[in-house]
Amino acid sequence: MLFKTKVKNVGEEARSFEDEKMIVLFGSQVPDELADFCYIIETNSIEGEITESNKLFIDGHEYNITKVGNVVNKNLSEMGHITLKFDGSTIAEQAGTLYLEESVLPHIAEGSSIEIG
């Protein structure tokens, strides 16, 4: 695996982006004004570079990566901060977004595992 983390906390409004098929991840240094809207994760380094040939796993469920925004690797490694977007897009409209196959959003709870490999 290139990256492994656990969800430490789920903000009260973290699920408010479901209609946009988005999940916002942030490490423990999340600014107070954003914490309620994020899934707070352990900030861990990436062992290599995330590309479209990798897959995302949430609690063992596999998702194909369709596009990697150009600051995803840096932001995930340094701040634990990226957006997961489950819309199947192959164009990175947002630099900090990891685009995934179109799918119903997975249920993420405190203790959920997130891996990329």
Side-chain angles (χ1 to χ4, degrees):
M1 287 292 159
L2 293 172
F3 179 78
K4 291 182 179 184
T5 191
K6 292 267 185 205
V7 176
K8 295 166 48 176
N9 192 17
V10 177
E12 289 182 24
E13 301 295 325
R15 292 178 178 87
S16 64
F17 300 110
E18 284 183 355
D19 288 346
E20 291 87 24
K21 295 190 169 212
M22 295 185 340
I23 291 171
V24 180
L25 305 178
F26 219 121
S28 55
Q29 71 277 22
V30 60
D32 290 341
E33 62 271 15
L34 300 179
D36 282 346
F37 298 95
C38 299
Y39 294 84
I40 310 303
I41 62 170
E42 298 169 355
T43 304
N44 296 321
S45 61
I46 300 171
E47 306 298 324
E49 184 173 339
I50 300 166
T51 68
E52 289 81 9
S53 66
N54 299 125
K55 296 190 183 301
L56 172 79
F57 301 88
I58 298 178
D59 291 331
H61 298 281
E62 180 180 307
Y63 302 91
N64 292 317
I65 296 172
T66 58
K67 192 66 179 171
V68 181
N70 65 3
V71 297
V72 164
N73 286 282
K74 178 181 184 290
N75 287 0
L76 186 58
S77 185
E78 293 178 4
M79 301 180 291
H81 176 48
I82 61 169
T83 299
L84 305 176
K85 190 158 186 179
F86 293 83
D87 69 350
S89 183
T90 57
I91 297 170
E93 293 180 10
Q94 302 290 320
T97 298
L98 185 65
Y99 294 88
L100 302 143
E101 66 184 272
E102 189 162 352
S103 173
V104 174
L105 286 186
H107 178 74
I108 299 176
E110 190 173 321
S112 285
S113 67
I114 299 173
E115 300 175 328
I116 300 172

